[in-house]
Amino acid sequence: MTALPVFLASNNKYAPLLATAIMSIAENTSGDITFHVFNDTISRSAATALQRLAARYGTPLTFHEVDLRTFRDCPSGWFKTNIIYARYAIADLFPQYDQALYVDSDMIFTEDIMSIPRI
């Protein structure tokens, strides 16, 4: 079985929460996963720290830049940025995956994500 791709989106402000989500997933997951982060202004130092964190668990983490012009007319505000809309483009941007999991960067996982029912 190939690794389950886990997608997240974050900006620099949410990088500490993203780290917590990554750690909680990695600590509680029994199978192979790969992290994909849609990057919206994550600093180089935060990106390096996040990659080191994922590496401690032997889990690849890749940052992806997304052309946000596609989402320029979507609502945004103090509670969200347009990077969250990148989740709607996962199937188009990553056609090589038959399935993927998108999670918000401010989530904490206490169970194995492999136990989530898949279609």
Side-chain angles (χ1 to χ4, degrees):
M1 176 181 206
T2 60
L4 176 66
V6 178
F7 288 86
L8 304 104
S10 184
N11 58 22
N12 206 54
K13 179 179 176 182
Y14 274 77
L17 300 173
L18 176 63
T20 302
I22 288 170
M23 187 167 48
S24 71
I25 292 168
E27 290 217 354
N28 291 294
T29 298
S30 61
D32 290 333
I33 56 175
T34 59
F35 289 111
H36 297 269
V37 177
F38 295 126
N39 178 11
D40 182 23
T41 67
I42 294 178
S43 70
R44 184 178 302 259
S45 62
T48 299
L50 289 163
Q51 287 181 313
R52 284 187 188 141
L53 174 66
R56 284 198 321 220
Y57 295 98
T59 306
L61 184 151
T62 306
F63 289 96
H64 302 281
E65 302 295 325
V66 178
D67 183 358
L68 296 177
R69 290 178 294 180
T70 303
F71 311 109
R72 69 179 164 266
D73 295 327
C74 296
S76 64
W78 65 269
F79 57 93
K80 59 187 170 184
T81 66
N82 284 358
I83 195 68
I84 65 166
Y85 294 109
R87 69 182 86 182
Y88 300 120
I90 291 172
D92 293 330
L93 295 171
F94 299 91
Q96 69 271 30
Y97 296 129
D98 293 329
Q99 56 185 317
L101 179 65
Y102 177 87
V103 298
D104 286 336
S105 61
D106 60 352
M107 296 177 75
I108 295 176
F109 292 80
T110 60
E111 301 290 329
D112 189 339
I113 63 170
M114 295 300 188
S115 66
I116 296 171
R118 298 187 214 178
I119 299 173

